[in-house]
Amino acid sequence: MNTEIKHIAVLGAGLVGTLLSIYLKKRGYNVDLFEKRDDMRLSSSDSGRSINLALSRRGIKALKDIDVLDEVEEIMLPMKGRMMHSLDGNLTFQPYGKEGQYINSVSRANLNKILLNRAEKSGVEIHFGHSCKTVDIEETKVTFESPNGKEKTLEFDLVLGADGAFSKLRQAMMKSDRFNYNQYYIPHGYKELTIPPTEDGEFAIEPNALHIWPRGQYMLIALPNLDKSFTCTLFFPFEGQPSFESLQTPQQVLHFFKNTFPDSLPHLKNIQQEYFENPTSSLVTIKCEPWVKNNCVLIGDAAHAIVPFYGQGMNAGFEDCFELNVLLDKYEDDWEKVLEDYQNLRKSDGDAIADLALHNFVEMRDLVADDKFLIQKKIEAKLHDLYPEKWMPLYSMVTFSDLRYSEACEIGMKQQRIMDEVMQQPDVLENWENLNLEQIVNKLDQ
Amino acid sequence: MNTEIKHIAVLGAGLVGTLLSIYLKKRGYNVDLFEKRDDMRLSSSDSGRSINLALSRRGIKALKDIDVLDEVEEIMLPMKGRMMHSLDGNLTFQPYGKEGQYINSVSRANLNKILLNRAEKSGVEIHFGHSCKTVDIEETKVTFESPNGKEKTLEFDLVLGADGAFSKLRQAMMKSDRFNYNQYYIPHGYKELTIPPTEDGEFAIEPNALHIWPRGQYMLIALPNLDKSFTCTLFFPFEGQPSFESLQTPQQVLHFFKNTFPDSLPHLKNIQQEYFENPTSSLVTIKCEPWVKNNCVLIGDAAHAIVPFYGQGMNAGFEDCFELNVLLDKYEDDWEKVLEDYQNLRKSDGDAIADLALHNFVEMRDLVADDKFLIQKKIEAKLHDLYPEKWMPLYSMVTFSDLRYSEACEIGMKQQRIMDEVMQQPDVLENWENLNLEQIVNKLDQ
């Protein structure tokens, strides 16, 4: 590769691309950031992507690193646990971690605007309305269609594709030989709905939680917004009974919500309109390899698109940037060494969080309403309290620690095998508070 | 879907596309067959694909069905088993099946020519030099670049993509939502080399066998040709030690072959030239779903590209056509029902043979040189002799039976679990001839 890197193109001014540009500009590179959309700060048009996101430790770490956390904190809404809504309207609260550990609801648009302002201020050249048509991976050249409709081809020392799940850079890599690629759509889609603030201008339901209506094969969730509304997301099969396909009329939709999510219905003020006007979107997992070809590099969703059920999509992308910056420090900007390590380290972590996210859908929509599962969570919380260094629940390792995703996944599987045994004891549901916890924790060393 | 199907486009005049066109023409459809290459019957240009193929029962069944087997038999060279070449030049012959069961080496080009002639004779309109640029899946329209360089868009009632591993129809499907896709390149590539006839014009090595030089991580194989030459294929890692990358000079190549495949070297008359002039090609497995979108259908390698190690690529594609024809009979050309069943049946079979083919690489390059493995094969052959209805070795189920690949795969896994137990008996290598075979075979029912 050309190791004399001065001029870098970043594709995609979404969250990851913009954060990455700030990192690189800070290191003294000449950074051009290209975005096919218009400047979101000037328009209120819908980006077609999810409205709010869960920001947690890995993402926060990177935001702090580029000194933008103070500003972001003003738009963060803490969610301290899951609030489960049962069919008969009972609420059960399950904390995400220990006292003081929480995840944060943030608006994608607001966070992106903060990052764009910071990037611009720090000297990143941002080019909106530049649609990447193709990338010449051999020559590190990118062809854009610019706002005037003309095509232009620009050459860089390095191209970083942060252009999301449908990355043009990845499409170009796919045309080269020996590129491994997997895209998998789950049978469920999602649709966003709104719980507006009450007439008094207050949150209609508990604001400091992520609300879940788990219903086995599908679920509704709700995350709070700064304006005291909630964005609800229905994760629901595309086909079958019931499904997006099977709910065709406003009457069917109302009937279904009344029977399935009864306590949500009084709050979903515009459901009949929103259900039919808002899009139904699909959910894809993408894995590929290699992430680096010549002087072209994939990062964030472009390298590892994941389903949203662990709330780690943005956090994983931000951590890619954080770790890339750590490697640039370590190797004093010797990109050949940096990129070799970057791919080796982050590929296995990307695969791990992709699998964890798929698995967590089952947990969220089904297991969180299961007594046995909830008791297992309580036992694990107790183990973590008593042996904080030895036993950390998988959710905490992923969400509240800096452990590599791949390590968290491996330890989590070992813990699950141990807990499977524990939960098979005949009287565990009644006597779980009397378990010999030291014996359980010691199994980790066996 | 539009169920009034009269005018069908078949993309790709390779083996599967041409065979499929003959089937459809026989049923009375108006069939146009499009091929991006020029007419192979008029030129001797290399297609860039493998030179010879293993034709076995599933492929033969389809050729017989369209009354072309007589002609094909004239170009078939029976291979009755594997001839293993050890490092010190010892030969071991392992029959593929029972007496009278064999696979056949056929030249891809010769077989394709026979099929093209028959297609033309039966009234299929063949359009060479027509490169498919894109397919409109909603409207069943295909845009071609024709030999004069002009683009034209044609509309059909049905489009069948038999256009191979890099199918344009599949690429169009991939741009639609919710298309699952996986492409996986193994770390090995392949290079073809030639053993010409002897000076007396005879085969240089045993003609009625598939020759293997198994060497653990890689292997050389040889298949006989009608002109009494052999086409050898070196399956070898792209990188590492040794690999295509590590053999850079004619001296290194000679030295490597001398040490690794010593008894092949005297026969490989042009190795120094061929090794550097012939291309190194990659090996991909492709799985996707759905195979049917609106009135567009994938078939053969376009739907399920597999590695060549089970000799089933062409046979699986021909069986797709055979089974499609069976369904057209069953449902009296009601394509909606036909395509639903086609996808449900053949998708699981395509997945199964893809996995079996990957697994068989390990068997061919490594296990066939393993004593324990060879004794396992002998025990299984004996089981098959004594209990032909109950125990058929996996290779036989795949190669010499009409069992669905998915069933063969499932039964094969069960048999493997039983044989794993048998082979763990401490004295099995010495006493295998005294095993209680009835006890073994009865485990299948447990």
Side-chain angles (χ1 to χ4, degrees):
Chain A
M1 72 177 286
N2 165 15
T3 47
E4 185 67 57
I5 307 293
K6 288 179 180 163
H7 188 189
I8 299 179
V10 176
L11 307 182
L15 297 169
V16 172
T18 314
L19 181 101
L20 177 63
S21 299
I22 299 169
Y23 261 120
L24 295 170
K25 189 71 202 176
K26 266 180 174 272
R27 301 193 73 88
Y29 293 101
N30 181 0
V31 182
D32 282 278
L33 175 60
F34 296 92
E35 168 59 43
K36 70 173 173 210
R37 294 183 174 82
D38 292 332
D39 189 346
M40 64 189 307
R41 294 169 299 180
L42 308 177
S43 72
S44 60
S45 79
D46 192 358
S47 71
R49 293 176 293 179
S50 64
I51 289 164
N52 43 25
L53 298 159
L55 175 63
S56 55
R57 180 179 174 115
R58 294 170 203 265
I60 289 170
K61 186 171 69 176
L63 292 168
K64 199 170 173 184
D65 217 18
I66 56 159
D67 299 314
V68 79
L69 183 61
D70 288 350
E71 227 175 308
V72 175
E73 271 173 346
E74 290 173 23
I75 61 163
M76 282 160 55
L77 285 157
M79 299 183 289
K80 297 179 177 172
R82 295 163 168 167
M83 184 69 84
M84 268 90 73
H85 296 242
S86 74
L87 201 55
D88 52 16
N90 281 340
L91 298 182
T92 320
F93 182 76
Q94 186 196 334
Y96 277 128
K98 296 185 169 188
E99 187 65 37
Q101 288 183 325
Y102 47 84
I103 63 175
N104 303 277
S105 176
V106 293
S107 143
R108 178 197 293 274
N110 287 343
L111 179 54
N112 216 338
K113 285 173 190 170
I114 291 173
L115 291 172
L116 285 169
N117 287 337
R118 179 60 62 95
E120 214 159 52
K121 212 181 284 176
S122 66
V124 172
E125 287 278 349
I126 314 182
H127 311 267
F128 292 101
H130 276 65
S131 173
C132 171
K133 307 310 283 180
T134 177
V135 182
D136 179 337
I137 294 166
E138 302 295 324
E139 305 286 336
T140 330
K141 286 178 181 168
V142 189
T143 303
F144 297 99
E145 189 180 307
S146 52
N148 60 18
K150 282 193 186 146
E151 291 202 352
K152 59 181 173 191
T153 299
L154 304 174
E155 193 177 342
F156 303 92
D157 300 324
L158 187 73
V159 175
L160 287 154
D163 48 347
F166 304 99
S167 167
K168 288 284 178 181
L169 175 57
R170 199 189 59 233
Q171 282 173 29
M173 286 186 178
M174 242 186 106
K175 285 181 189 148
S176 66
D177 196 23
R178 298 176 65 209
F179 187 73
N180 290 340
Y181 180 77
N182 190 0
Q183 68 181 35
Y184 168 69
Y185 286 87
I186 63 169
H188 298 67
Y190 72 92
K191 188 186 283 290
E192 293 184 321
L193 304 167
T194 315
I195 294 181
T198 62
E199 284 178 10
D200 309 341
E202 287 307 315
F203 285 104
I205 53 178
E206 165 60 43
N208 290 130
L210 190 154
H211 295 260
I212 312 183
W213 289 257
R215 294 296 181 266
Q217 289 306 303
Y218 49 90
M219 67 178 179
L220 181 71
I221 68 168
L223 276 77
N225 297 317
L226 275 185
D227 66 1
K228 302 198 173 176
S229 67
F230 284 82
T231 303
C232 297
T233 310
L234 174 65
F235 294 98
F236 204 39
F238 276 102
E239 288 110 21
Q241 203 57 258
S243 70
F244 284 119
E245 196 184 55
S246 78
L247 300 185
Q248 290 289 341
T249 66
Q251 288 69 29
Q252 287 171 328
V253 171
L254 271 186
H255 183 79
F256 174 74
F257 271 76
K258 206 170 173 178
N259 283 303
T260 316
F261 311 116
D263 66 330
S264 77
L265 197 52
H267 305 304
L268 290 162
K269 300 293 185 195
N270 305 309
I271 182 166
Q272 296 196 53
Q273 192 186 343
E274 285 186 333
Y275 187 92
F276 292 98
E277 286 182 0
N278 292 356
T280 306
S281 305
S282 54
L283 293 156
V284 70
T285 297
I286 291 174
K287 294 181 182 177
C288 63
E289 190 173 22
W291 292 1
V292 179
K293 278 218 170 190
N294 302 326
N295 280 27
C296 294
V297 185
L298 299 172
I299 193 162
D301 283 1
H304 49 79
I306 65 178
V307 291
F309 306 110
Y310 228 116
Q312 286 294 317
M314 167 183 60
N315 293 292
F318 282 8
E319 198 179 52
D320 286 345
C321 304
F322 181 91
E323 293 297 336
L324 187 67
N325 191 54
V326 167
L327 293 172
L328 285 163
D329 281 345
K330 177 176 172 188
Y331 292 117
E332 294 175 348
D333 296 69
D334 179 337
W335 280 90
E336 198 165 351
K337 290 180 186 158
V338 167
L339 291 178
E340 200 185 322
D341 268 23
Y342 162 74
Q343 148 128 350
N344 286 341
L345 284 168
R346 295 303 291 170
K347 166 67 182 160
S348 50
D349 289 336
D351 286 351
I353 192 60
D355 295 340
L356 287 168
L358 280 168
H359 178 78
N360 216 45
F361 186 26
V362 183
E363 182 163 326
M364 283 180 85
R365 74 182 196 227
D366 199 1
L367 298 179
V368 291
D370 178 87
D371 283 347
K372 201 161 181 179
F373 177 79
L374 294 177
I375 285 184
Q376 180 183 327
K377 291 279 138 175
K378 284 183 186 169
I379 299 170
E380 288 198 67
K382 225 170 139 184
L383 283 167
H384 183 40
D385 265 352
L386 285 172
Y387 307 98
E389 303 296 312
K390 297 199 81 173
W391 192 291
M392 194 186 288
L394 178 57
Y395 187 88
S396 299
M397 287 191 281
V398 170
T399 311
F400 303 122
S401 91
D402 299 324
L403 265 181
R404 291 181 58 189
Y405 288 126
S406 50
E407 288 178 61
C409 189
E410 208 172 305
I411 297 168
M413 285 194 292
K414 193 163 184 188
Q415 290 175 342
Q416 185 59 47
R417 283 193 296 270
I418 295 171
M419 291 309 297
D420 282 345
E421 272 179 48
V422 171
M423 301 308 290
Q424 270 170 21
Q425 297 177 22
D427 52 354
V428 69
L429 294 189
E430 298 75 39
N431 292 333
W432 67 271
E433 293 186 89
N434 305 323
L435 285 166
N436 183 336
L437 296 180
E438 194 177 342
Q439 210 177 50
I440 296 176
V441 93
N442 283 339
K443 286 189 185 172
L444 272 178
D445 302 325
Q446 285 163 18
Chain B
M1 71 176 286
N2 165 16
T3 46
E4 186 66 56
I5 306 292
K6 288 178 180 163
H7 188 187
I8 299 178
V10 175
L11 307 181
L15 297 170
V16 172
T18 314
L19 181 101
L20 177 63
S21 299
I22 299 169
Y23 262 120
L24 295 170
K25 190 69 202 178
K26 267 181 174 272
R27 301 194 72 87
Y29 293 102
N30 180 359
V31 182
D32 281 279
L33 175 59
F34 296 92
E35 169 58 43
K36 71 173 175 210
R37 293 183 175 82
D38 292 331
D39 190 344
M40 63 189 308
R41 294 169 299 181
L42 307 178
S43 71
S44 60
S45 80
D46 191 358
S47 71
R49 292 177 294 178
S50 64
I51 289 165
N52 43 23
L53 299 158
L55 175 63
S56 54
R57 179 178 176 116
R58 293 169 203 265
I60 289 172
K61 185 171 69 176
L63 293 169
K64 199 171 174 182
D65 218 18
I66 56 160
D67 299 312
V68 79
L69 184 61
D70 288 350
E71 227 175 307
V72 175
E73 271 174 347
E74 290 172 25
I75 62 164
M76 283 159 56
L77 285 157
M79 299 183 289
K80 297 178 178 172
R82 295 161 169 168
M83 184 69 84
M84 268 90 74
H85 296 242
S86 74
L87 202 54
D88 52 16
N90 282 338
L91 299 183
T92 320
F93 182 76
Q94 187 195 333
Y96 277 128
K98 295 186 172 188
E99 187 63 39
Q101 290 183 325
Y102 48 83
I103 63 176
N104 303 279
S105 176
V106 293
S107 143
R108 178 196 292 274
N110 287 343
L111 179 54
N112 216 337
K113 285 174 191 169
I114 290 173
L115 291 173
L116 285 169
N117 288 338
R118 178 63 62 97
E120 218 161 49
K121 211 180 286 177
S122 66
V124 172
E125 287 277 348
I126 314 182
H127 310 268
F128 290 101
H130 275 65
S131 173
C132 170
K133 306 312 281 180
T134 176
V135 182
D136 180 338
I137 293 166
E138 302 295 325
E139 305 286 336
T140 329
K141 286 179 181 166
V142 189
T143 303
F144 297 99
E145 190 180 305
S146 52
N148 60 18
K150 281 189 186 153
E151 290 203 353
K152 59 181 173 192
T153 298
L154 304 174
E155 194 177 342
F156 304 91
D157 300 324
L158 187 73
V159 174
L160 287 155
D163 48 346
F166 302 100
S167 167
K168 287 286 177 180
L169 175 57
R170 199 189 59 232
Q171 281 173 29
M173 286 187 178
M174 241 184 108
K175 286 183 187 144
S176 66
D177 196 22
R178 298 175 64 210
F179 186 74
N180 291 338
Y181 179 76
N182 191 358
Q183 69 180 36
Y184 168 68
Y185 286 87
I186 63 169
H188 297 70
Y190 72 92
K191 188 185 285 288
E192 292 183 323
L193 305 167
T194 316
I195 295 182
T198 61
E199 285 179 12
D200 308 339
E202 287 306 315
F203 284 106
I205 52 178
E206 164 62 42
N208 290 128
L210 190 156
H211 294 262
I212 311 182
W213 288 257
R215 295 296 181 265
Q217 289 305 303
Y218 49 89
M219 67 178 180
L220 181 72
I221 68 168
L223 277 76
N225 297 317
L226 276 185
D227 67 359
K228 303 200 173 174
S229 67
F230 285 82
T231 304
C232 298
T233 311
L234 174 64
F235 294 98
F236 204 41
F238 276 103
E239 288 109 21
Q241 203 58 255
S243 70
F244 284 118
E245 197 184 55
S246 79
L247 300 186
Q248 290 290 340
T249 66
Q251 289 69 30
Q252 287 171 328
V253 172
L254 271 186
H255 184 77
F256 174 73
F257 270 76
K258 204 170 172 178
N259 283 301
T260 315
F261 311 117
D263 65 331
S264 77
L265 197 51
H267 305 302
L268 291 162
K269 301 292 184 195
N270 305 310
I271 182 167
Q272 295 196 55
Q273 193 186 345
E274 286 185 332
Y275 187 92
F276 292 98
E277 285 182 2
N278 292 356
T280 306
S281 305
S282 54
L283 293 157
V284 69
T285 297
I286 292 175
K287 294 180 183 178
C288 64
E289 190 175 21
W291 290 1
V292 180
K293 278 216 168 192
N294 302 324
N295 281 27
C296 295
V297 184
L298 299 172
I299 193 162
D301 282 1
H304 49 80
I306 66 179
V307 292
F309 306 110
Y310 229 114
Q312 286 293 317
M314 169 184 58
N315 292 292
F318 281 7
E319 197 179 51
D320 286 346
C321 303
F322 181 92
E323 294 296 337
L324 187 67
N325 191 54
V326 167
L327 293 171
L328 285 163
D329 281 345
K330 177 176 172 187
Y331 292 118
E332 294 176 348
D333 296 71
D334 179 337
W335 280 88
E336 198 165 351
K337 290 181 186 159
V338 166
L339 292 178
E340 201 185 322
D341 268 24
Y342 163 74
Q343 148 128 350
N344 285 341
L345 284 168
R346 296 303 293 172
K347 167 66 181 159
S348 50
D349 290 336
D351 285 352
I353 192 60
D355 295 341
L356 287 168
L358 280 167
H359 179 76
N360 216 45
F361 186 26
V362 183
E363 182 163 326
M364 283 179 84
R365 73 181 197 228
D366 199 0
L367 297 180
V368 291
D370 178 86
D371 284 345
K372 201 163 181 176
F373 177 81
L374 294 177
I375 285 187
Q376 179 182 326
K377 291 279 138 175
K378 284 183 185 168
I379 300 170
E380 287 198 66
K382 223 168 141 184
L383 283 166
H384 185 38
D385 264 351
L386 285 172
Y387 308 97
E389 304 295 311
K390 296 198 79 173
W391 191 291
M392 193 187 288
L394 177 57
Y395 187 88
S396 299
M397 288 191 281
V398 169
T399 310
F400 303 123
S401 90
D402 299 323
L403 264 181
R404 291 181 57 190
Y405 287 126
S406 51
E407 288 178 61
C409 189
E410 209 173 301
I411 298 168
M413 284 195 290
K414 194 164 183 187
Q415 290 175 343
Q416 185 58 46
R417 282 194 296 270
I418 295 171
M419 291 309 298
D420 282 346
E421 271 179 47
V422 171
M423 300 308 290
Q424 270 171 22
Q425 297 177 22
D427 51 355
V428 68
L429 293 191
E430 297 76 40
N431 293 332
W432 67 271
E433 294 187 85
N434 305 322
L435 285 166
N436 183 336
L437 297 180
E438 192 177 345
Q439 209 177 52
I440 296 176
V441 91
N442 283 338
K443 286 190 184 171
L444 272 178
D445 302 324
Q446 285 162 19

